Amino acid sequence: GSGLFIDGVLLAQGTADRPIVGTSRDDDTAGGDTNNNGPVSIGLEDWAGIEIRAGSTGNVLDHLDLRYVDGFPGTTGMIRVVGGQATLSNSSLRNCAGHGVGVRGGGSASLLNNLMIGGRDSGIRAESGATVLATNNTIDGNVRAVAADGNNTQLVLTNNLLTNSPQAGVASSGGATVTMSFNDVFGNNPNYSGLANQTGLNGNVSADPKYFNRANGQYQLRSGSPAVDAGSSQGAPEFDFIGNPRFDDPNTPNTGGGFPAFFDMGAFERQEVAFSNVDLLARNVSGPTVGVQDMVASIQWTVENLGAGTATGPWSDAIYLSADPVLSPDDRFLGNLVHNSDLGPGQSYAASLNVTLSQVLPGNHYFIVRTNSRNDLFEGVAVANNAAASANAITFAVPELTTSSPIASAFA
């Protein structure tokens, strides 16, 4: 397939909310149905990615979103640096038929804050005299996470998450030099090939990084992750993949290096105030306004994605009964509905669920719906609008007592 072949200088600089997308012509999730073959959400590996050729220096690639690359004969990879020089940062490389980044022929590359996910070869491959500096990358689910081969080849790894590869996490061969500090190498088979196990040396660990939702491609870190405050600040980027500043988690000991010593490993910095490109809003909650004990009530609501990114299903919407229109821990859970489809930016869906209302105290009550109730999706600070209450209350009257007619009910 066709691709970009650079003999001069390439300055490709997107932003966190508007990345530069390179993908298959069959991938309609970017740009719509440009080839008029009907809606398709999965692309074919039908283009050759980007190649930086010998003599090409000063290339800056920032905030790219590259998908479904078939590579190129001789050196496969979404981005190939063949004797040239490039800096790649804050970019996502997914579903490549070959390497995520391949550097060879004396080429050099600096790789900062990138995601390299689901490739059919190495996330990073350095060979034949290449020099690669890889810092704060999350490299998951590739056949190999990183590999280096050949004399005079140097691969320097700092603050990376190298996880879940069916082959090696870190592979070295042919006299290559691999230098590692403050990396988490976990869940690979094996973690190391061709070099000694680095666990416990120079800040390197091997532990589950606790991704927020790996199945949905959300690689933010959960509370308690061993990667939090465990990286080195020396030479590391001051901001993460989506522009969040470094954050010193007050509940986590600082085990990293440099000053300050609280940078996280991987492309995402965990913090108490974090942003996401997914923002689900619950609205238009409605239900009956007159209540009868043991009645079956139909609750309706709408969920809209206000974010710039696609919400990837499944997630759950929960329904509660509350004495006021504000969700609180003492509200009564009524039911749960799983939403399995994706929801793109600006899209919405209408949902409904039948719930049984039993032993409800007399008075006014509100139906409250909380979308993403089990935190299946990472929304960061955008969770504030996940819950919405019905505009009108449902009223349960005090049962009328009639002489010689006992009523089975509940009192509080």
Side-chain angles (χ1 to χ4, degrees):
S2 59
L4 295 177
F5 300 90
I6 310 303
D7 293 302
V9 178
L10 175 63
L11 301 178
Q13 296 167 289
T15 62
D17 58 343
R18 298 191 69 180
I20 298 171
V21 179
T23 188
S24 163
R25 60 177 175 267
D26 287 325
D27 179 9
D28 296 340
T29 64
D33 185 18
T34 56
N35 60 348
N36 300 313
N37 68 338
V40 178
S41 61
I42 299 177
L44 300 174
E45 293 155 348
D46 58 5
W47 71 293
I50 301 172
E51 181 171 301
I52 309 295
R53 291 177 164 173
S56 175
T57 61
N59 297 283
V60 177
L61 290 70
D62 186 48
H63 289 295
L64 306 188
D65 180 359
L66 304 184
R67 320 167 193 170
Y68 304 113
V69 169
D70 65 0
F72 189 73
T75 302
T76 62
M78 284 189 163
I79 297 176
R80 304 175 303 282
V81 182
V82 186
Q85 179 274 328
T87 297
L88 174 71
S89 57
N90 307 307
S91 295
S92 172
L93 283 63
R94 298 174 186 262
N95 303 110
C96 179
H99 310 305
V101 177
V103 187
R104 64 177 299 178
S108 64
S110 296
L111 311 174
L112 309 168
N113 280 347
N114 299 295
L115 296 175
M116 303 177 191
I117 310 299
R120 298 214 300 269
D121 213 311
S122 301
I124 300 171
R125 168 80 176 183
E127 60 181 281
S128 62
T131 299
V132 176
L133 307 180
T135 307
N136 280 100
N137 300 284
T138 297
I139 304 176
D140 180 77
N142 303 276
V143 171
R144 283 174 299 275
V146 299
D149 177 72
N151 289 322
N152 300 319
T153 297
Q154 298 186 55
L155 176 59
V156 181
L157 302 169
T158 309
N159 296 354
N160 300 287
L161 298 177
L162 310 173
T163 55
N164 301 308
S165 298
Q167 296 183 24
V170 183
S172 178
S173 59
T177 300
V178 178
T179 305
M180 299 181 59
S181 58
F182 302 99
N183 302 280
D184 186 1
V185 185
F186 174 79
N188 309 285
N189 186 25
N191 281 332
Y192 294 92
S193 174
L195 72 163
N197 190 333
Q198 299 296 299
T199 303
L201 303 174
N202 301 315
N204 297 302
V205 301
S206 181
D208 183 352
K210 296 185 179 180
Y211 296 129
F212 192 88
N213 192 328
R214 179 174 178 254
N216 280 353
Q218 293 188 301
Y219 286 92
Q220 290 87 352
L221 303 175
R222 289 186 178 273
S223 176
S225 166
V228 172
D229 291 359
S232 173
S233 60
Q234 187 171 356
E238 296 182 6
F239 298 89
D240 75 353
F241 180 86
I242 55 175
N244 288 324
R246 300 298 172 183
F247 175 75
D248 189 0
D249 191 323
N251 300 311
T252 302
N254 295 338
T255 59
F259 183 82
F262 56 71
F263 284 31
D264 293 354
M265 299 176 184
F268 292 100
E269 182 79 9
R270 186 184 184 279
Q271 47 195 292
E272 292 178 354
V273 179
F275 297 92
S276 169
N277 62 357
V278 174
D279 180 7
L280 297 185
L281 165 74
R283 58 179 172 84
N284 299 344
V285 179
S286 64
T289 56
V290 177
V292 178
Q293 296 295 339
D294 299 321
M295 71 179 291
V296 175
S298 177
I299 314 303
Q300 295 87 36
W301 68 95
T302 299
V303 173
E304 182 179 0
N305 182 10
L306 301 181
T310 297
T312 304
W315 64 87
S316 296
D317 296 344
I319 299 90
Y320 299 88
L321 190 67
S322 175
D324 55 52
V326 179
L327 182 64
S328 57
D330 59 343
D331 291 338
R332 180 175 172 183
F333 174 74
L334 297 177
N336 186 76
L337 184 67
V338 176
H339 182 82
N340 289 297
S341 302
D342 297 348
L343 194 66
Q347 294 182 343
S348 63
Y349 64 85
S352 65
L353 185 69
N354 291 334
V355 297
T356 301
L357 304 178
S358 301
Q359 298 184 355
V360 179
L361 297 177
N364 292 332
H365 303 269
Y366 294 83
F367 297 109
I368 296 179
V369 172
R370 181 177 185 267
T371 189
N372 193 22
S373 60
R374 296 178 178 175
N375 295 318
D376 296 303
L377 299 172
F378 180 77
E379 295 185 78
V381 296
V383 297
N385 58 5
N386 282 16
S390 55
N392 300 311
I394 180 172
T395 302
F396 281 79
V398 177
E400 180 180 351
L401 296 178
T402 304
T403 304
S404 301
S405 299
I407 294 177
S409 189
F411 294 88

